[in-house]
């Protein structure tokens, strides 16, 4: 009996052991399958890549897309400058593309892998920041301005000076951005937002220090504050204002009469990208007219792909601030890469925030 039970014990042990090995094998196989899926790591602005765009690419190409966000071009630069981020796709604005090219942080694009490049309108190509688009492909374009709740803010704001009005103390937010924010004060003072005159920049700095006690928050994701009703006005990017207006229809947007900034955000591949081929497939996918239309409808920024317009509703195509009038366009400036003087903007902004 003793012999019998020990024999059976060893049979059961062997069976259990086989089962265990089998389970480990199956688990490692399943795990191995998901691990072996290529992963595309995207680093972008919030509200820029929708779940629909992400999962559409995942399903069609059998890969995983992970999206991480940043709040300013300078945050993106800081992260990339450290190296080895693992990001495959980034979306710097115009002047930051120029800075990144000079700093040798970007990979040259292989146009053969991006046949949909030909879908882009020439109006958005060959700009000063990447004269032959060797490193960048335009994603969207927009402006900075003031979003306001028209059921509360009266009269309708038409000047940046409203952001110095005591009446709105603690009721508005300002972008937390070393170029946009000094830029708004420079425009209010009648200067270029690309000034390299230290005295003009100093005047803008003093204005922003004076404004500080009135500001509820410095925040780039103003959409959330506007929807929640935490602020009645926000210095923000246009698409974010229009996205907020979808949820809270009394939100309107204006570009002040003194003028403002305009931008093109671009898709680029960092030099250190682990999956360059997949990144180029992703860029090509973004440039399909129907996909690009979805991007514009989601972000509420303009499309650089004319054929995408066939898939867009009238209210976007005729939107006076997504496609500004010639008069408004004249009042806008591109933020430029000002070389060494750029540091003075960052220093001024740090000093303002430290006050
Ligand atoms: N939520 C998307 C915001 C995109 C902003 N682009 C930045 C432009 C900076 N000049």
């Amino acid at each position: 009996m003793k012999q019998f039970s020990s024999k059976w014990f060893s049979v059961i042990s062997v069976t259990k052991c086989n089962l265990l090995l089998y389970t480990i094998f199956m688990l490692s196989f399943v795990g191995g399958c998901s691990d072996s899926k290529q992963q595309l790591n995207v680093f972008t602005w919030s509200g820029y890549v929708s779940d629909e765009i992400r999962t559409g690419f995942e399903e069609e190409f059998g890969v995983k897309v992970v999206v991480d966000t940043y709040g300013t071009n300078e945050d993106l630069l800081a992260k990339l400058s450290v190296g080895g981020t693992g990001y495959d796709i980034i979306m710097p604005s115009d002047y930051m593309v120029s800075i990144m090219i000079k700093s040798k942080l970007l990979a040259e694009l292989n146009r053969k892998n991006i046949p949909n490049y030909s879908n882009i309108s020439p109006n958005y190509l060959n700009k000063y920041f990447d004269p032959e688009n060797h490193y960048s492909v335009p994603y969207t374009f927009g402006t900075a301005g003031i979003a306001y709740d028209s059921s509360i803010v009266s009269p309708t704001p038409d000047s940046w000076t409203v952001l110095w009005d005591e009446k709105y103390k603690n009721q508005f937010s300002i972008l937390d951005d070393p170029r946009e924010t000094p830029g708004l004060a420079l425009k209010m003072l009648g200067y270029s937002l690309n000034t390299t005159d230290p005295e003009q920049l100093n005047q803008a700095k003093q204005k922003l220090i004076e404004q500080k006690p009135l500001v509820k928050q410095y925040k780039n994701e103003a959409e959330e504050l506007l929807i929640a009703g935490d602020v009645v006005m926000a210095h923000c990017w246009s698409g974010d204002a229009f996205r907020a207006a979808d949820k809270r229809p009394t939100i309107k947007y204006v570009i002040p009469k003194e003028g403002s900034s305009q931008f093109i955000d671009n898709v680029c591949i960092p030099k250190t990208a682990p999956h360059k081929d997949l990144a180029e497939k992703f860029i090509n996918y973004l440039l399909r007219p129907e996909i690009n239309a979805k991007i514009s409808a989601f972000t509420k920024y303009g499309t650089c792909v004319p054929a995408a317009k066939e898939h867009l509703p009238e209210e976007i195509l005729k939107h006076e601030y997504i496609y500004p009038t010639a008069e408004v366009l004249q009042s806008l400036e591109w933020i430029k890469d000002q070389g060494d003087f750029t540091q003075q903007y960052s220093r001024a902004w740090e000093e303002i925030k430290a006050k």
Side-chain angles (χ1 to χ4, degrees):
M1 180 69 192
K2 212 176 172 186
Q3 229 182 4
F4 175 83
S5 60
S6 79
K7 187 178 161 199
W8 272 105
F9 178 73
S10 64
V11 169
I12 290 166
S13 299
V14 168
T15 315
K16 265 192 180 164
C17 184
N18 283 347
L19 194 67
L20 189 68
L21 285 172
Y22 177 74
T23 311
I24 290 170
F25 172 74
M26 283 313 283
L27 282 175
S28 66
F29 181 70
V30 172
C33 278
S34 63
D35 281 345
S36 69
K37 258 192 187 175
Q38 261 201 317
Q39 180 167 309
L40 184 79
N41 297 310
V42 178
F43 197 30
T44 184
W45 304 86
S46 71
Y48 244 23
V49 175
S50 68
D51 285 347
E52 190 187 7
I53 296 297
R54 182 180 56 77
T55 56
F57 186 75
E58 283 181 339
E59 279 158 25
E60 188 174 328
F61 291 84
V63 296
K64 187 165 172 49
V65 179
V66 174
V67 179
D68 201 359
T69 59
Y70 52 85
T72 63
N73 282 297
E74 290 67 23
D75 290 347
L76 167 64
L77 177 65
K79 195 111 180 211
L80 228 66
S81 302
V82 180
T85 57
Y87 293 123
D88 299 301
I89 289 280
I90 52 170
M91 300 199 187
S93 305
D94 33 58
Y95 71 99
M96 190 48 69
V97 172
S98 162
I99 293 174
M100 288 181 165
I101 293 173
K102 284 191 206 158
S103 311
K104 305 205 181 317
L105 290 170
L106 301 181
E108 247 190 88
L109 303 176
N110 183 350
R111 223 46 94 56
K112 286 200 190 103
N113 295 335
I114 313 175
N116 290 336
Y117 182 86
S118 61
N119 291 343
I120 305 169
S121 156
N123 291 344
Y124 307 102
L125 294 174
N126 310 327
K127 298 284 181 195
Y128 90 92
F129 52 89
D130 185 7
E132 288 175 77
N133 285 90
H134 285 314
Y135 301 90
S136 64
V137 157
Y139 187 64
T140 54
F141 57 88
T143 56
I146 301 174
Y148 62 98
D149 190 329
S150 57
S151 67
I152 300 169
V153 177
S154 175
T156 300
D158 69 346
S159 163
W160 289 116
T161 54
V162 72
L163 300 175
W164 274 260
D165 188 337
E166 296 271 344
K167 185 165 89 175
Y168 297 112
K169 180 172 181 167
N170 222 16
Q171 294 186 75
F172 64 89
S173 65
I174 294 286
L175 286 173
D176 184 354
D177 187 294
R179 291 303 307 270
E180 293 281 8
T181 312
L184 97 80
L186 284 164
K187 290 306 268 184
M188 189 191 67
L189 292 165
Y191 302 137
S192 163
L193 52 71
N194 287 306
T195 189
T196 51
D197 177 342
E199 175 45 32
Q200 292 182 356
L201 183 58
N202 187 45
Q203 285 178 36
K205 180 173 109 180
Q206 296 311 325
K207 272 282 162 202
L208 292 168
I209 291 171
E210 184 191 309
Q211 180 199 49
K212 219 180 151 186
L214 308 179
V215 176
K216 175 150 190 177
Q217 212 177 330
Y218 294 105
K219 191 172 168 75
N220 295 331
E221 295 76 20
E223 184 186 337
E224 297 161 19
L225 299 175
L226 290 160
I227 294 168
D230 289 343
V231 294
V232 300
M233 278 191 297
H235 166 225
C236 65
W237 290 302
S238 49
D240 298 4
F242 309 141
R243 281 159 55 89
D246 270 355
K247 302 254 169 62
R248 204 179 175 103
T250 50
I251 302 287
K252 306 274 183 243
Y253 178 79
V254 66
I255 292 177
K257 60 183 180 211
E258 300 92 344
S260 186
S261 62
Q262 63 176 327
F263 64 84
I264 298 183
D265 287 338
N266 304 274
V267 196
C268 299
I269 303 178
K271 211 171 218 167
T272 54
H275 311 106
K276 184 167 186 273
D277 287 355
L278 188 60
E280 282 169 342
K281 286 194 176 97
F282 187 66
I283 295 177
N284 198 48
Y285 166 82
L286 299 178
L287 292 173
R288 287 183 196 165
E290 66 286 6
I291 298 296
N292 211 271
K294 283 182 182 166
I295 293 168
S296 176
F298 175 76
T299 61
K300 301 274 190 279
Y301 287 105
T303 175
C304 306
V305 171
K309 293 189 172 176
E310 286 163 32
H311 307 273
L312 282 165
E314 284 282 287
E315 81 252 21
I316 290 196
L317 297 176
K318 298 254 160 77
H319 198 296
E320 60 170 331
Y321 284 121
I322 297 182
Y323 300 97
T325 60
E327 193 191 337
V328 172
L329 274 176
Q330 274 207 325
S331 73
L332 302 174
E333 278 187 272
W334 301 99
I335 295 178
K336 293 269 172 76
D337 164 14
Q338 295 299 48
D340 290 346
F341 195 83
T342 303
Q343 285 171 12
Q344 304 221 26
Y345 279 92
S346 297
R347 200 166 309 133
W349 183 230
E350 286 311 315
E351 284 169 15
I352 294 157
K353 289 211 295 177
K355 280 277 172 198

